[in-house]
């Protein structure tokens, strides 16, 4: 029997917040992104094995890793300012 396992990664833009980037120092849009890695069987996603969050500067592209709590906090913060 032949089984074809693999992984797929998917990025989702959660929200955009504005604050001073720690790399370039500019107060520009920072994209809060969730990246999930899923195990696939015959290219069909079965389960999510990891979820990671980061924020990426739209000016310089600098990436900072976030915890899930920080990403959720950023979403709440953006929603309040809405
Ligand atoms: Zn930057």
């Amino acid at each position: 029997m032949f089984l074809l396992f693999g992984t797929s990664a998917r990025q989702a833009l959660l929200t955009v917040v504005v604050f001073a980037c720690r790399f370039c120092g500019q107060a520009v849009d920072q994209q809060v992104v969730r990246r999930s890695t899923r195990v696939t069987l015959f290219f069909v996603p079965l389960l999510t094995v990891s979820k990671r969050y980061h924020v990426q500067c739209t000016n310089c592209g600098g990436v900072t890793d976030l915890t899930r709590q920080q990403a959720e906090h950023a979403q709440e913060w953006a929603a309040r300012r809405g």
Side-chain angles (χ1 to χ4, degrees):
M1 184 166 174
F2 176 73
L3 292 175
L4 183 59
F5 282 101
T7 59
S8 75
R10 200 173 55 158
Q11 289 206 155
L13 178 63
L14 299 181
T15 189
V16 176
V17 292
V18 178
F19 59 85
C21 172
R22 74 189 183 106
F23 298 103
C24 64
Q26 303 295 310
V28 295
D29 288 355
Q30 310 283 329
Q31 297 178 327
V32 180
V33 174
R34 180 184 64 212
R35 182 179 169 86
S36 7
T37 305
R38 294 177 300 174
V39 172
T40 61
L41 177 62
F42 295 107
F43 307 106
V44 177
L46 290 183
L47 62 142
T48 302
V49 287
S50 81
K51 278 187 189 169
R52 305 197 54 165
Y53 300 84
H54 67 254
V55 60
Q56 182 163 28
C57 176
T58 56
N59 182 49
C60 69
V63 172
T64 307
D65 285 333
L66 296 179
T67 64
R68 186 175 149 207
Q69 285 77 18
Q70 287 174 313
E72 285 171 355
H73 181 77
Q75 283 183 282
E76 288 166 15
W77 186 77
R80 272 203 306 272
R81 287 167 53 97

